[in-house]
Amino acid sequence: MKYKLFILILLTIGCQKIPLDEISTPIGNPKPTIDFRNESYSSINNTVGNIERQKWNLHFSDFDFIWNEVTQRTSVDNYYPIYKASVQYDFFDDGKIDLLVFNAGSGEKIPGLYVLIEDVLEDDRTTTTFPSKLYSANAAVLSDTNGDGRNEMLLFGENSHNNSEFGGANNYLETGYRIFFDSNKNIVEQNIGSVPIGVHDVTSGDIDNDGDIDIVVFPTGVNDSTVTSNFYFPLKLINDGFGNFVEQPFFSDESLITSKYGFNEWLATTFHLFDVNNDGYLDLVGGHYIGTLDPRWGAEFIKDKKDLTFAGIFISYGTSSGNYYYEQVRYFSESALSDTTQILYGLTFTDYDNDNDYDIVMSTYEVDVNGSFNLDSDSYIVHLLKNDNNNFVNVTESVIDGFSDLSGTRFSNFYRPIINDVDNDGDFDIVATAYRYGNNTITYPKLLYWEKNGSSYVKKEIY
């Protein structure tokens, strides 16, 4: 196995209470031990880039930090951070956490910037910016794809989330990118694969059980670029062991989706590799609508679009060979506030009831079906689906206090629920990260999380 990082770094829980606004790592020589506060997962789940990213997520950016330290204002443009396209990692092997964020220019009409904040947990942190080839990016995970024992940021998106369809210079789709730093602390951008893609999310892991990291992408459908072709069904990017990827249909029986079932498109807003049935093989969990489908879609429009026919999550179960089959996908429709139309934006996994299987945490937002089509909202809903012998049952309303806020006045939707022992009490809380901070009329808390108490959660807003 090539996962030196997973072998060298032990998952530890600190025993000293640390105030929420002073979470830091000690300074000293030899280099300090990083205080990971994450749940233990199986070895195959530790290959997943979303889980690796979650493990390193020890800094929680609040509204002031985002606007004052990460947003970049230049004579050319203002560059706004896309926090779902960010990772934390010890990029320079000094025992301190660094934060790397992609920032898009206003309107996504010019290439963006990377913002690196070294030693982000320290008072003497430093900020450096680097130019990017990309106009926009939608998601990032953390993985070692070339087997050198160091993680890279895997960055995927649509090149321009808003403007490519209007014929500008960015009217094309990019491939994914692998981002890392060379020995001189210069940023390196490398293309991943050869197929241009437009996605809302990305996930990675060892799907074919050969000891290297592969990538899975689902189309998002928002981008209508005319220079390059879009894609309409999920792909798996298979690693040759040296960081070179070959694209293949995710489903080995993909042809049946159209020929037998009549679908020409299957989109997903969120998807995540994870072994949910404990068989040692990575499954794919994802979805688009939760609760109810958007009633504004007409019957003629949705008839050939798989994701517009079902509200809930799907699970495609993995195999030893890395093959996945459309006809073996299972669907789970249970959710909190099931009579509302919601869009799925985030997933993670936790054994909340300590029964040695993994339960599913989802973050969604409520769609105003009486207004115009919208991609974001100042609302959130957190869901907990209990794993009951590989059936997933909604237990949200009985287990999570304050699981939703639909008022539009206290917070926004967020893209990344993560599992972290925020209060350092030995159990694992649900934390809202990568939130949409664009509404400056809201007094955002410094931290929004759900504190674990036994087998239940209580909402905490830290101001």
Side-chain angles (χ1 to χ4, degrees), residues 109-111 135 159 163-164 166-172 227:
K109 296 178 181 178
I110 61 174
Y135 292 80
N159 195 44
N163 296 296
S164 75
F166 299 131
N170 49 338
N171 190 29
Y172 59 93
V227 175

Side-chain angles (χ1 to χ4, degrees), residues 59 61 65-72 81 83 87-92 94 96-101 103 114-130 181:
H59 166 81
S61 299
F65 181 89
I66 290 168
W67 280 100
N68 296 328
E69 298 200 41
V70 188
T71 301
Q72 299 295 307
Y83 255 74
V87 296
Q88 295 176 46
Y89 183 56
D90 180 8
F91 283 104
F92 307 111
D94 59 1
K96 298 178 182 179
I97 302 292
D98 310 304
L99 171 66
L100 182 61
V101 187
N103 282 30
Y114 297 103
V115 177
L116 170 69
I117 301 182
E118 288 188 62
D119 307 341
V120 68
L121 299 175
E122 309 296 331
D123 291 336
D124 59 349
R125 54 185 173 259
T126 60
T127 300
T128 310
T129 62
F130 302 88
F181 292 91

Side-chain angles (χ1 to χ4, degrees), residues 44-45 47-52 141-145 154 202-207 213-216 245 271-274 282:
I44 192 64
N45 284 324
T47 73
V48 174
N50 314 67
I51 295 299
E52 183 71 357
V141 292
L142 200 60
S143 284
D144 173 17
T145 60
L154 307 185
V202 64
T203 189
S204 60
D206 186 6
I207 64 175
I213 301 296
D214 312 296
I215 299 169
V216 175
F245 293 89
F271 45 93
H272 194 316
L273 286 167
F274 197 86
L282 290 176

Side-chain angles (χ1 to χ4, degrees), residues 336-337 364 379-383 396-397 400-407 450 459:
L337 305 183
T364 68
S379 69
Y380 64 79
I381 305 168
V382 177
H383 306 252
T396 305
E397 295 172 63
I400 303 181
D401 167 68
F403 64 88
S404 68
D405 190 325
L406 310 182
S407 68
W450 286 263
K459 182 168 74 172

Side-chain angles (χ1 to χ4, degrees), residues 234-455:
L235 297 173
K236 55 186 179 183
L237 284 67
I238 300 300
N239 195 334
D240 68 354
F242 301 97
N244 306 303
F245 293 89
V246 176
E247 294 90 349
Q248 300 175 7
F250 178 76
F251 293 111
S252 297
D253 55 353
E254 180 185 280
S255 61
L256 295 178
I257 303 176
T258 297
S259 64
K260 183 175 180 179
Y261 297 99
F263 296 115
N264 294 314
E265 178 178 287
W266 190 0
L267 313 181
T269 46
T270 296
F271 45 93
H272 194 316
L273 286 167
F274 197 86
D275 177 18
V276 294
N277 60 355
N278 285 322
D279 65 356
Y281 310 127
L282 290 176
D283 314 306
L284 186 69
V285 183
H288 185 177
Y289 280 103
I290 301 295
T292 64
L293 294 169
D294 194 322
R296 294 171 294 181
W297 299 118
E300 185 64 23
F301 179 78
I302 70 172
K303 66 180 183 181
D304 66 341
K305 297 173 175 59
K306 171 67 179 177
D307 55 298
L308 300 186
T309 66
F310 176 81
I313 61 167
F314 65 82
I315 300 179
S316 180
Y317 292 100
T319 63
S320 60
S321 63
N323 292 322
Y324 297 81
Y325 297 94
Y326 174 78
E327 292 202 308
Q328 295 177 8
V329 173
R330 293 186 65 188
Y331 304 91
F332 299 90
S333 61
E334 289 202 14
S335 64
L337 305 183
S338 57
D339 59 343
T340 61
T341 301
Q342 307 165 42
I343 287 183
L344 177 65
Y345 262 4
L347 285 167
T348 193
F349 301 85
T350 185
D351 182 9
Y352 91 96
D353 51 1
N354 299 310
D355 64 352
N356 297 314
D357 57 22
Y358 291 107
D359 313 293
I360 300 175
V361 177
M362 306 188 298
S363 64
T364 68
Y365 71 89
E366 182 187 37
V367 176
D368 179 6
V369 297
N370 296 311
S372 60
F373 281 95
N374 55 321
L375 297 175
D376 286 294
S377 170
D378 293 319
S379 69
Y380 64 79
I381 305 168
V382 177
H383 306 252
L384 180 60
L385 302 184
K386 175 181 168 57
N387 188 341
D388 185 9
N389 294 318
N390 295 318
N391 287 308
F392 289 89
V393 180
N394 170 40
V395 295
T396 305
E397 295 172 63
S398 61
V399 172
I400 303 181
D401 167 68
F403 64 88
S404 68
D405 190 325
L406 310 182
S407 68
T409 62
R410 297 184 63 84
F411 209 72
S412 67
N413 60 268
F414 58 94
Y415 295 90
R416 247 185 237 168
I418 70 169
I419 305 303
N420 184 287
D421 183 10
V422 171
D423 49 9
N424 204 19
D425 64 354
D427 54 21
F428 299 101
D429 314 301
I430 300 170
V431 188
T433 71
Y435 62 92
R436 190 180 68 88
Y437 49 84
N439 188 344
N440 58 13
T441 66
I442 294 175
T443 302
Y444 292 89
K446 286 186 175 294
L447 184 64
L448 170 64
Y449 74 105
W450 286 263
E451 180 184 8
K452 182 79 179 298
N453 282 321
S455 293

